[in-house]
C-alpha cells in the first residue's frame, strides 16, 4: 500500500468576515521538502492552521499524512511539529524548560521531554545558553528554540512558518542549512512557508504557490521552473543598440538586463542559436557567452503572479 | 556550525502519555513560572494574608466561649478578602495576558491539546498558588479557637468545621480565578488585569454591603463573592454540640438569618460567574489565535 500524501486539500475555502483567505484550493503533494510560497496575505498561514486543525475551513477538506484535519486534529499535532512565524516565548523560562513543556504538551513523559529537550537544543548548537531565560535570547537564538520545540518529539512532518523572519544574512543561511539537514538526513519532511523565494529555492523540492487565496501552481520545483519561459543568456562585446536592432531583424525580442554587456533572448528552441550568431556577425559583435538562461524561482514566481492577476 | 550535523541526534521513539498529563504539564509549568517571576511578592502578600486573618483567632482565644463556627466564618471571609485583593491579582493577572503579549498561545495550541486543557491547566496553576494562603489561616483560627474551648466534643466540632472550610475555599477560589483570567485575557498588560479584577471585586463587595446593611435588602448579599461563599460554608458547617459549648450562640450573628436564601442559589451564582468568565477566556484566546 502506498503512503498517503503529505498534504491533501480538496476545494478548501476560508472566509473571515468579508475577507476570503482561501478560495477553492485543491492540491495533493508529497515530497521531502515542500515550499509554500506566496506574498504576504496570500493564505499560507491560514492553510497551515487549517491543516493543523487549529481553525475550521468554511468549506472543503484538508488532510495531513492521511489524517483528516477536522476529525484527527490532536493526532495530526502529535505527528507534526509547528514553528510559528511570530517569536513566541514564555518569559522567565529557560530554553530547556520551554522545549520540555512543548514535549509534554504533545504527550511525552516529563523524563523523556527533559532528556529530549537537552538533545535537541544541543544539536541545534545552543550549548550552555539552554539554561538561560529565553527572554534574554537574540532573534537567531529564539528562532532555534522555536525550531527545537517543534522538533522535540521527532515529528514526521515539520511546518515552518517564515523561519528566517528577522534573521541577518548569516543567521538566515544557518537556519536554512538546519532545515535542509532536517529534511535530508533526519527523515523529517518539511513544509516551509515563506514569501522569500531564495529560502524555498534553496531547501525545497516541491512548491505550492498561493496568490490571493488561490492556488497559482503546485508541483516539483524543477517542473515549475522548467515550465517557465525558455530563453538564452547572452554576453557580448560590441555596440549594444546595433546588435539589438540586428537581433530584432532576425525576429528575436532581446530583453535588457542590469549588466550593459548582457541580454536575455526568449526563444522557442534553446538549440536554435543560428539567428543570434548571424546578428552578431552582421554587426561585428563578439559573442562571449551563449547558453540557456537559468531561471530562478523568482522569475517563475513573478510570471505566475502576473498570470494569476490577469 | 555543528547544528544537526551532530551525529548524536537520535529520533525519539517513546510512547505518548494519556491526555490528562498534558493538563498537569500546563499547571505545573505555569505555577512554577508565576512563582519564579513573583517569588517575593507572592511570599510577602501570602504571608500578609495569613497575618490579617490571625487576629480573629486571637479574639477566639481571648474571649473564651465564642462558637468556633463564627471564628471560622470570620476567618474565611477575611482570608478571602485579602487573597482576592493581594494574592490573586499577582498570581492570576498574567495567566493569559502574558501568553498574549509573548505570542505563546500558538505554541500551546499547535500541540496536542484543546482549549479546555489550556484553561483548566492555567486555572489549576493559580489555584495551587492561592489555595495555601486562603485556606491556612481559617484552619489556624479554627484550631486556636477550639483549643481555647479545650474539650473533646469541641475538638470533633473543630474538625468538622475544618472540613467545611476545606470544601468552601475551592468553591470561592475557582470563580475568583475564572474572573481574574477573564480580565487577563482582555489585555496584554498584566497590571491592568490585576487592577481591573481587584476593583470589580471591591465594588461588588461594597455594593453588597450597602444593599444589605444600609438599604436592608436581604438579597444584596448575593452580589458578594465572600457572602455567597459564607452562605455555602455555613450550610456545610455543623451545629455546635451542646455538651461542648460554653456559649453556643453569638446573639445577632446568625449567618442563616443574615443570608436567607438557599445555598444552592449562591452556588448557582458562583458557577454562573465561573462559566461566564471562562467563556470570555475561550472567546479571547480563540480570537487571539485567529489573529496570530
Amino acid at each position: 500500500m502506498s503512503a498517503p500524501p503529505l498534504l491533501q486539500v480538496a476545494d478548501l475555502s476560508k472566509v473571515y468576515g468579508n475577507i476570503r483567505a482561501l478560495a477553492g484550493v485543491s492540491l495533493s503533494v508529497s515530497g521531502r521538502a515542500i515550499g509554500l510560497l506566496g506574498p504576504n496575505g496570500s493564505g499560507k498561514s491560514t492553510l497551515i492552521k487549517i491543516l493543523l486543525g487549529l481553525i475550521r475551513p468554511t468549506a472543503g477538506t484538508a488532510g495531513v499524512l492521511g489524517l483528516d484535519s477536522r476529525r484527527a486534529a490532536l493526532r495530526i499535532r502529535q505527528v507534526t511539529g509547528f514553528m510559528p512565524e511570530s517569536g513566541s516565548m514564555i518569559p522567565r523560562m529557560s530554553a530547556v524548560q520551554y522545549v520540555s513543556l512543548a514535549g509534554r504538551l504533545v504527550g511525552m513523559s516529563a523524563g523523556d521531554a527533559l532528556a529530549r529537550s537537552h538533545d535537541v537544543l544541543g544539536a541545534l548548537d545552543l550549548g550552555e545558553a539552554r539554561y538561560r531565560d529565553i527572554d534574554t535570547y537574540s532573534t537567531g537564538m529564539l528562532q532555534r528554540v522555536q525550531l527545537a520545540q517543534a522538533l522535540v518529539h521527532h515529528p514526521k512532518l515539520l511546518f515552518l512558518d517564515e523561519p528566517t523572519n528577522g534573521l541577518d544574512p548569516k543567521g538566515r543561511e544557518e537556519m536554512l542549512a538546519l532545515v535542509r539537514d532536517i529534511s535530508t538526513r533526519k527523515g523529517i519532511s518539511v513544509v516551509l512557508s515563506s514569501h522569500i523565494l531564495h529560502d524555498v529555492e534553496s531547501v525545497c523540492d516541491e512548491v505550492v504557490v498561493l496568490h490571493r487565496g488561490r492556488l497559482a501552481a503546485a508541483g516539483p520545483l524543477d517542473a515549475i521552473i522548467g515550465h517557465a519561459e525558455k530563453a538564452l543568456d547572452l554576453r557580448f562585446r560590441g555596440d549594444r543598440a546595433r546588435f539589438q536592432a540586428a537581433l530584432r531583424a532576425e525576429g528575436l525580442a532581446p530583453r535588457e538586463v542590469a549588466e550593459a554587456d548582457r541580454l536575455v533572448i526568449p526563444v522557442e528552441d534553446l538549440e536554435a542559436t543560428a539567428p543570434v550568431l548571424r546578428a552578431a556577425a552582421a554587426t561585428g559583435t563578439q559573442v562571449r557567452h551563449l547558453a540557456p538562461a537559468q531561471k530562478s524561482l523568482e522569475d517563475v514566481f513573478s510570471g505566475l503572479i502576473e498570470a494569476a492577476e490577469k | 556550525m555543528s547544528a544537526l550535523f551532530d551525529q548524536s541526534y537520535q529520533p525519539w521513539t517513546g510512547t505518548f502519555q494519556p491526555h490528562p498529563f498534558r493538563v498537569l504539564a500546563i499547571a505545573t509549568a505555569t505555577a512554577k513560572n508565576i512563582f519564579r517571576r513573583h517569588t517575593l511578592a507572592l511570599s510577602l502578600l501570602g504571608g500578609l494574608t495569613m497575618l490579617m486573618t490571625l487576629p480573629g483567632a486571637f479574639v477566639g482565644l481571648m474571649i473564651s466561649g465564642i462558637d468556633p463556627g463564627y471564628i471560622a466564618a470570620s476567618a474565611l471571609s477575611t482570608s478571602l478578602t485579602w487573597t482576592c485583593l493581594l494574592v490573586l491579582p499577582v498570581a492570576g493577572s498574567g495567566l493569559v495576558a502574558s501568553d498574549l503579549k509573548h505570542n505563546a498561545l500558538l505554541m500551546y495550541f499547535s500541540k496536542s491539546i484543546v482549549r479546555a486543557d489550556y484553561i483548566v491547566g492555567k486555572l489549576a496553576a493559580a489555584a495551587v498558588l492561592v489555595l495555601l494562603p486562603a485556606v491556612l489561616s481559617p484552619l489556624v483560627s479554627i484550631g486556636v479557637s477550639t483549643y481555647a474551648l479545650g474539650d473533646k466534643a469541641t475538638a470533633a466540632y473543630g474538625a468538622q468545621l475544618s472540613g467545611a472550610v476545606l470544601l468552601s475555599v475551592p468553591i470561592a477560589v475557582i470563580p475568583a480565578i475564572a474572573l481574574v483570567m477573564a480580565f487577563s485575557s482582555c489585555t496584554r498588560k498584566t497590571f491592568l488585569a490585576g487592577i481591573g479584577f481587584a476593583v470589580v471585586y471591591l465594588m461588588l463587595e461594597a455594593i453588597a454591603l450597602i444593599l444589605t446593611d444600609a438599604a436592608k435588602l436581604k438579597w444584596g448579599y448575593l452580589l458578594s463573592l465572600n457572602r455567597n461563599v459564607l452562605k455555602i460554608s455555613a450550610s456545610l458547617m455543623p451545629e455546635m454540640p451542646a455538651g461542648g459549648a460554653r456559649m453556643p450562640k453569638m446573639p445577632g450573628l446568625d449567618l442563616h438569618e443574615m443570608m436567607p436564601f438557599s445555598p444552592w442559589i449562591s452556588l448557582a451564582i458562583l458557577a454562573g460567574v465561573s462559566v461566564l468568565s471562562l467563556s470570555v477566556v475561550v472567546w479571547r484566546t480563540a480570537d487571539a489565535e485567529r489573529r496570530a
Side-chain angles (χ1 to χ4, degrees):
Chain A
M1 205 173 90
S2 63
L6 228 47
L7 311 178
Q8 191 154 32
V9 164
D11 206 18
L12 194 69
S13 297
K14 178 69 189 175
V15 179
Y16 296 112
N18 53 5
I19 298 166
R20 185 172 284 270
L22 288 174
V25 174
S26 295
L27 58 94
S28 174
V29 281
S30 295
R32 180 181 54 77
I34 298 162
L36 191 52
L37 198 56
N40 287 331
S42 58
K44 304 187 298 291
S45 295
T46 301
L47 178 59
I48 290 179
K49 284 180 189 170
I50 290 175
L51 288 166
L52 287 170
L54 295 173
I55 51 175
R56 285 184 171 266
T58 309
T61 58
V64 177
L65 298 162
L67 299 164
D68 186 288
S69 69
R70 279 187 202 237
R71 293 193 199 116
L74 293 187
R75 181 69 190 139
I76 286 176
R77 287 180 235 155
Q78 262 181 339
V79 296
T80 60
F82 175 53
M83 179 181 170
E85 177 184 0
S86 47
S88 82
M89 64 155 164
I90 300 175
R92 297 301 300 273
M93 200 178 249
S94 71
V96 171
Q97 290 170 324
Y98 184 78
V99 175
S100 177
L101 172 64
R104 294 191 69 192
L105 293 180
V106 181
M108 297 170 85
S109 69
D112 274 10
L114 185 64
R116 180 75 184 160
S117 65
H118 279 286
D119 287 350
V120 175
L121 289 165
L124 288 174
D125 219 16
L126 274 160
E128 292 303 304
R130 77 185 86 160
Y131 301 107
R132 253 173 49 203
D133 289 349
I134 51 177
D135 39 334
T136 65
Y137 279 18
S138 66
T139 309
M141 290 166 85
L142 206 52
Q143 291 289 74
R144 282 173 189 238
V145 175
Q146 294 307 324
L147 185 57
Q149 64 80 25
L151 270 178
V152 64
H153 57 298
H154 192 77
K156 291 179 181 166
L157 172 62
L158 190 59
F159 287 98
L160 306 164
D161 198 358
E162 308 276 3
T164 58
N165 244 8
L167 297 180
D168 59 28
K170 184 170 173 279
R172 243 174 82 178
E173 289 309 318
E174 285 179 357
M175 178 56 75
L176 292 174
L178 283 173
V179 177
R180 253 195 312 273
D181 184 60
I182 289 165
S183 68
T184 54
R185 299 189 195 193
K186 302 296 175 262
I188 300 172
S189 299
V190 166
V191 173
L192 172 71
S193 164
S194 181
H195 67 280
I196 302 169
L197 302 168
H198 165 74
D199 292 2
V200 171
E201 203 169 12
S202 66
V203 170
C204 301
D205 48 15
E206 295 254 344
V207 193
V208 172
V209 184
L210 289 177
H211 182 61
R212 291 186 181 165
R214 293 184 184 278
L215 185 70
L221 185 62
D222 294 343
I224 286 189
I225 291 178
H227 279 136
E229 171 196 58
K230 289 176 186 168
L232 291 169
D233 185 14
L234 172 68
R235 285 182 186 279
F236 64 95
R237 179 183 281 177
D239 186 326
R240 182 172 173 146
R242 279 187 64 214
F243 185 37
Q244 277 184 278
L247 286 169
R248 284 193 200 97
E250 290 287 345
L252 300 170
R255 215 167 45 225
E256 292 181 8
V257 290
E259 299 103 308
D261 64 343
R262 192 172 159 218
L263 290 169
V264 171
I265 307 167
V267 289
E268 292 289 316
D269 179 4
L270 289 170
E271 300 297 320
T273 55
V276 178
L277 297 175
R278 275 200 302 274
T283 54
T285 303
Q286 183 187 2
V287 175
R288 309 185 78 182
H289 169 89
L290 182 61
Q294 295 291 312
K295 297 293 290 181
S296 73
L297 192 53
E298 191 144 3
D299 299 324
V300 179
F301 186 63
S302 308
L304 288 169
I305 297 300
E306 274 172 29
E309 281 180 347
K310 281 173 194 167
Chain B
M1 188 179 74
S2 59
L4 281 180
F5 305 108
D6 181 355
Q7 292 304 305
S8 66
Y9 178 92
Q10 294 295 324
W12 178 70
T13 52
T15 50
F16 292 118
Q17 287 190 307
H19 203 93
F21 283 93
R22 292 165 223 178
V23 180
L24 186 67
I26 297 172
T28 49
T30 306
K32 279 184 194 169
N33 189 248
I34 292 172
F35 193 72
R36 201 173 161 218
R37 290 164 78 172
H38 306 293
T39 310
L40 186 64
L42 283 174
S43 306
L44 284 176
L45 296 174
L48 194 62
T49 298
M50 287 192 257
L51 278 177
M52 294 289 196
T53 315
L54 290 182
F58 287 106
V59 168
L61 195 62
M62 288 161 68
I63 308 171
S64 178
I66 292 182
D67 183 344
Y70 291 116
I71 298 290
S74 161
L76 181 63
S77 180
T78 313
S79 161
L80 285 181
T81 304
W82 292 110
T83 300
C84 288
L85 283 178
L86 299 179
V87 185
L88 200 49
V90 176
S93 57
L95 284 174
V96 185
S98 179
D99 289 342
L100 289 174
K101 186 177 176 185
H102 298 100
N103 295 314
L105 283 181
L106 213 47
M107 189 284 280
Y108 279 107
F109 295 132
S110 67
K111 304 301 173 200
S112 193
I113 61 164
V114 293
R115 206 174 304 284
D117 298 332
Y118 171 82
I119 291 171
V120 171
K122 292 280 174 176
L123 202 137
V128 165
L129 297 168
V130 164
L131 275 176
L132 186 69
V135 88
L136 199 61
S137 32
L139 291 183
V140 169
S141 302
I142 293 167
V144 169
S145 53
T146 49
Y147 174 77
L149 291 175
D151 52 65
K152 276 190 180 175
T154 319
Y157 174 54
Q160 288 174 306
L161 287 178
S162 302
V165 166
L166 282 173
L167 276 174
S168 312
V169 170
I171 292 172
V173 159
I174 289 170
I177 296 175
L179 192 59
V180 80
M181 269 180 85
F183 277 96
S184 182
S185 67
C186 292
T187 176
R188 288 164 183 248
K189 295 189 164 89
T190 53
F191 72 94
L192 277 184
I195 291 171
F197 166 75
V199 167
V200 167
Y201 168 78
L202 263 183
M203 269 174 55
L204 288 173
E205 294 299 320
I207 292 169
L209 189 73
I210 292 165
L211 289 177
T212 51
D213 293 2
K216 301 293 179 199
L217 296 169
K218 287 200 168 180
W219 55 265
Y221 79 91
L222 294 172
L223 292 176
S224 151
L225 173 79
N226 283 22
R227 291 182 184 211
N228 277 308
V229 175
L230 275 183
K231 176 67 191 179
I232 295 165
S233 184
S235 66
L236 292 170
M237 287 177 181
E239 288 293 318
M240 185 160 178
R246 292 180 203 165
M247 192 196 292
K249 294 285 177 193
M250 278 281 286
L253 263 178
D254 188 334
L255 291 177
H256 293 295
E257 195 186 305
M258 285 166 64
M259 297 180 276
F261 300 110
S262 161
W264 291 106
I265 294 177
S266 294
L267 198 62
I269 288 171
L270 295 180
V273 168
S274 306
V275 169
L276 202 66
S277 303
L278 294 179
S279 305
V280 171
V281 180
V282 169
W283 165 58
R284 290 291 301 150
T285 51
D287 188 53
E289 194 190 336
R290 187 175 63 79
R291 289 165 193 271

